[in-house]
């Protein structure tokens, strides 16, 4: 799976959009970009994923550049409860009984702090 | 759905004792993962199963660690004998093989004295 690079920390004012960048310049054609977050003392939580098109759900939006070498997770109106470590993960597209496609490798992520 | 269920939530034991952590995946999910998280090493995948079959156990640190999945609704991670360096939070996660998004349990915080 391709390696990802994220800033170690970011701050955001409550109510503003939080834009979390991720670099994955070695991503290959069948690899997906996944985002998870981990609020202190809880298990990681799935947020969103995409292959090459931008994606949006009730939690966030994912913007993937045309060359797929980087992406941005957008929390449109950050709240204090969004303070967490955000992980960007590139995952192989394979699956099935023996494929490693479901395997996730977590890096160090970005610590997002949302403040009043 | 209740989500992924792990037990116990906290475990304190003494060095040399056997520890068994339990996990019930989300009903219908056919992949199950065991992770360990420490401050020093972050979140590490220990082992994962597809359809109850162990696929990759390369993350299991030593022979003291073993994991089983006797059926689709239950898995155990056993440490025998436990050592202080095994102290960590152990997470279980499950996913659908096709969709791939993993859903994590609340974790078991293990302290080995």
């Amino acid at each position: 799976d391709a390696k990802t690079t994220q800033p170690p920390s970011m701050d955001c004012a409550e109510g503003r959009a939080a834009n979390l960048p991720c670099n994955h310049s070695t991503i290959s054609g069948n690899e997906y970009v996944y985002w998870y977050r981990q609020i202190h003392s809880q298990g990681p939580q799935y947020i969103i994923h995409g292959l090459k098109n931008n994606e949006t759900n009730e939690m966030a939006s994912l913007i993937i550049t045309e060359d797929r070498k980087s992406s941005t997770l957008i929390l449109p109106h950050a709240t204090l409860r969004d303070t967490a470590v955000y992980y960007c993960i590139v995952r192989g597209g394979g699956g099935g009984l023996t494929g490693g496609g479901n395997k996730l490798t977590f890096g160090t992520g970005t610590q997002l702090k949302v403040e009043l | 759905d209740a989500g992924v269920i792990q037990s116990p939530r906290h475990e304190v034991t003494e060095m040399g004792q056997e520890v068994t952590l339990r996990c019930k995946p989300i009903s219908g999910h056919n992949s199950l993962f065991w992770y360990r998280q420490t401050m020093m090493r972050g979140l590490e995948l220990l082992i994962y199963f597809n359809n109850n079959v162990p696929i990759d156990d390369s993350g299991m640190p030593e022979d003291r660690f073993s994991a089983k999945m006797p059926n689709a609704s239950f898995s155990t991670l056993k440490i025998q004998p436990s050592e202080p360096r095994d102290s960590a939070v152990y997470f279980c996660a499950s996913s659908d093989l096709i969709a791939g998004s993993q859903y994590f349990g609340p974790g078991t915080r293990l302290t080995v004295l």
Side-chain angles (χ1 to χ4, degrees), chain B residues 4-67:
Chain B
V4 175
I5 298 173
Q6 292 188 248
S7 65
R9 293 292 308 278
H10 302 272
E11 176 82 24
V12 180
T13 190
E14 293 189 346
M15 184 174 64
Q17 296 298 306
E18 178 181 296
V19 174
T20 299
L21 311 182
R22 296 173 176 80
C23 176
K24 176 178 168 54
I26 292 172
S27 177
H29 281 184
N30 41 23
S31 291
L32 183 139
F33 306 79
W34 282 102
Y35 291 85
R36 177 173 70 175
Q37 187 170 36
T38 62
M39 288 291 292
M40 291 293 291
R41 300 174 67 91
L43 195 60
E44 304 173 280
L45 176 66
L46 300 178
I47 185 171
Y48 78 95
F49 297 81
N50 285 346
N51 291 326
N52 313 336
V53 176
I55 301 300
D56 184 350
D57 66 354
S58 59
M60 296 285 263
E62 299 170 34
D63 291 346
R64 298 183 297 106
F65 286 70
S66 62

Side-chain angles (χ1 to χ4, degrees), chain A residues 63-106:
Chain A
I63 308 298
I64 303 174
T65 58
E66 194 168 339
D67 63 7
R68 302 213 318 126
K69 293 185 177 182
S70 66
S71 61
T72 301
L73 179 75
I74 300 173
L75 308 178
H77 306 286
T79 71
L80 298 178
R81 285 191 298 254
D82 292 322
T83 292
V85 177
Y86 287 77
Y87 298 98
C88 169
I89 302 165
V90 170
R91 194 209 88 181
L97 282 175
T98 58
N102 281 347
K103 187 174 175 178
L104 296 175
T105 302
F106 286 80

